[in-house]
Amino acid sequence: MLTTLAIRNIVLIESLDLSFGPGLGVLTGETGAGKSILLDALGLVLGARAETALVRSGEDQASATATFEFQKLPSAISDALADAEVEVEPGEPLIIRRRVKADGGSKAFVNDQPVSVALLRQLAGALVELHGQHDDRGLVNPRGHRALLDRFAGADVARVNAAWSEWQNARVALEDARSGIEQAKADQDLLLAHLAELTSIEPEEGEEETLANARSDMQKGEKLQGDLEELRLMWDGSESPLARLRSAARRLDRIATEHALLADALASLDRAVIEAGEAEEKLEAAAAALTHDPLELDRIETRLFELRALARKHGCQVDELPAVMTSLRSKLDAIEQGDADLADLVRAEQAAGAAYRKAAEALHEARVKAGAKLDKAVAGELAPLKLDAARFQTAVIQLSENRWGPSGMDGVEFLISTNPGAEFAPLNKIASGGELSRFILALKVALAEQGGAATVIFDEIDRGVGGAVASAIGERLARLASGGQLLAVTHSPQVAARGGTHYMIAKSSKGTVTKTSVARLDAEGRQEEIARMLSGAEVTPEARAQADRLLEGV
């Protein structure tokens, strides 16, 4: 709830510090005393537009600071603060400050942390609920009526929300599968052609490197053909170097035992024969490997060209062509399997849709029953508020399927008829501001146990009424405030007498300077202020006596 409001240099208020408590607080004062300034200051804290006209004449800036305290922060507030990365310790009050400069611009803070004005507006709905003569928010706005009725009904909207999410997920999965199959079928002929082309070649991993090496060897053999032939002739025949080495080795073998050096020479010669033999074998192998076969070379080059052309066509490396073949086969298999999978997805989507409809229809029935109960509760409040000719109706309308959503298949709007035989119309279409405020009060009383903002403010709800109606308004405001905090700006003594705390707003002038002040009244001050409200400018003994009776009667 709102515990303090500090105002600096806003219009006629130079400096003002107010404290508030639970229950019903009333604010009174003569017309023009400055009650609207308090609401303007609170509006700044709640994210209203920062008008430079709010800055007191002659000052550079103005500010308003409000403190709200909770046993536990409402989830709507804690979630918004978390999203904005604003840290508030458990049990710590929420201090919101707004500063406006005379030359334009404003800054906002939550617990001394800079925040956006958008965040203030986001927090406002959970902090303060304001009802005035021309209110177009809160209970008047049809956009919030469905949530109010659901809270009144204790409806299981979460179940419908979960069913909606499951249905939408199933629909997305089905549509994605359909799109994928349609695209695959459109590409089926192309897939078959590509696979046939690859299958006819049957590429193998590592084949490109093998072919390229073989081609390189053949091309080298073509260049080395003359040298290889000369070497072959040198190693062939009885007069070749190797033949002569072997002949020398045989002769030396016969005389090697005659001297140690001859034996050593023989050993060296034997090694030379072995090395020369190995060289001959390697020359023969090299000659075979480097043999230039024009037909084989042409076959290898053709194969390389085909493989590389296919790789470019599929945007991959040659070694990746076997994987491309596997992928094409998988896509074709998926097309064949797709219809079976699609049937399963269709059944899943239908089941999820049926579950959503069942949950939404149950919610619809709960809303209809709760609407009738709410209509009866509001009707019981209308006559004491001098609205006995009026009627209230909760319209629960089933929407077309394209407008269904996580909150169900219903639209909800509160309608009224102010005269016998008149058509029902939306709350915000009512002509009389006084009637609108009383309708809001009746509806608020009927919905009192369903929660709402931490602080509720009624601005001159009693305008244009008096006597028994004013008493009825005061009694209902006090009843609403019994479980929380309610502030009422009022001109009615009957309403003022119901207040647990009473603030008097006064305007004074000294020379060319005009100021607005607010005082919290004690028992004697309350009697005097209520007597003034009863008698006018001159407070008479009769007015004081009547004020006493009003205060004693509450």
Side-chain angles (χ1 to χ4, degrees), residues 449-500:
E449 297 180 359
Q450 308 313 314
T455 300
V456 179
I457 298 176
F458 279 93
D459 181 18
E460 299 187 4
I461 190 175
D462 48 20
R463 177 176 290 183
V465 299
V469 177
S471 294
I473 290 174
E475 186 273 330
R476 280 155 178 76
L477 290 175
R479 194 196 315 170
L480 275 177
S482 62
Q485 182 186 54
L486 190 149
L487 301 175
V489 178
T490 180
H491 289 287
S492 168
Q494 291 89 343
V495 173
R498 291 279 182 176

Side-chain angles (χ1 to χ4, degrees), residues 237-308:
S238 58
E239 297 300 319
S240 68
L242 181 57
R244 290 185 177 188
L245 280 174
R246 286 172 179 164
S247 177
R250 285 194 297 272
R251 287 189 178 188
L252 186 58
D253 182 55
R254 290 197 294 269
I255 62 174
T257 57
E258 300 298 329
H259 195 279
L261 289 174
L262 292 175
D264 290 343
L266 177 61
S268 296
L269 191 58
D270 285 342
R271 289 196 297 273
V273 170
I274 292 170
E275 293 289 336
E278 291 178 354
E280 182 182 35
E281 290 174 0
K282 290 178 180 179
L283 282 171
E284 290 174 354
L290 295 171
T291 300
H292 173 228
D293 182 349
L295 294 178
E296 179 63 12
L297 179 59
D298 184 64
R299 184 194 70 78
I300 290 174
E301 289 183 333
T302 300
R303 178 74 174 173
L304 278 173
F305 176 81
E306 290 175 342
L307 290 171
R308 289 170 177 173

Side-chain angles (χ1 to χ4, degrees), residues 506-529:
K507 182 169 64 175
S508 61
S509 298
K510 185 177 181 181
T512 59
V513 178
T514 301
K515 295 182 179 180
T516 290
S517 61
V518 180
R520 182 170 176 171
L521 302 179
D522 56 15
E524 184 178 349
R526 290 192 68 196
Q527 181 211 44
E528 192 70 10
E529 172 63 5

